[in-house]
Amino acid sequence: MPLQMKLSAITLDCPDPLALAAFYQQATGLAPHPKSDADFAGLCGEGGLLIGFQRVDDYQAPQWPDQTVPQQFHLDFDVDDLDEAEAQLLRLGAAKPDHQPNEARWRVLTDPAGHPFCVVRGI
């Protein structure tokens, strides 16, 4: 029988937890965790899921699609309108890499700390 585990948090390494939490808060509307600070910030998601951001000294951003510093993981967010979501996220501080493997279905963006994430056209 497999363990009965509930995913409670997803944590991203970064150089500035409060700044990265602010980016994702503006992008998702999730509430900031009340104990967020300069070393660890969080956003409270549905069902108690926490998205955390922890300070790492000498942080090296992933270099997607290059694997010199691999992406390690990425987040996907469903959206109704890819163009609108992309434009809003770019205004918030995201960047758009040149390499886009399937721009009609999803867009690869990077957050202000360099983590790749995708916005995906909802089905």
Side-chain angles (χ1 to χ4, degrees), residues 19 73 102:
F73 73 94
N102 189 347

Side-chain angles (χ1 to χ4, degrees), residues 60 70 118:
Q60 292 185 9
C118 294

Side-chain angles (χ1 to χ4, degrees), residues 5 11 17-18 21 24 27 42 49 53 57 60 76 90 94 106-107 118-119 121-122:
M5 299 189 308
T11 301
L18 292 172
Y24 280 105
L49 180 64
F53 310 93
D57 293 331
Q60 292 185 9
D76 289 342
L90 292 173
W106 69 82
R107 308 284 165 81
C118 294
V119 288
R121 185 171 35 125

Side-chain angles (χ1 to χ4, degrees), residues 11-41:
T11 301
L12 288 74
D13 292 348
C14 63
D16 185 341
L18 292 172
L20 196 55
F23 168 80
Y24 280 105
Q25 184 206 3
Q26 291 174 4
T28 64
L30 295 175
H33 190 278
K35 294 185 179 180
S36 294
D37 62 30
D39 289 321
F40 187 91

Side-chain angles (χ1 to χ4, degrees), residues 5-11 33 40 43-52:
M5 299 189 308
K6 177 184 175 189
L7 181 62
S8 60
I10 299 168
T11 301
H33 190 278
F40 187 91
L43 297 176
C44 302
E46 293 182 30
L49 180 64
L50 177 84
I51 300 175

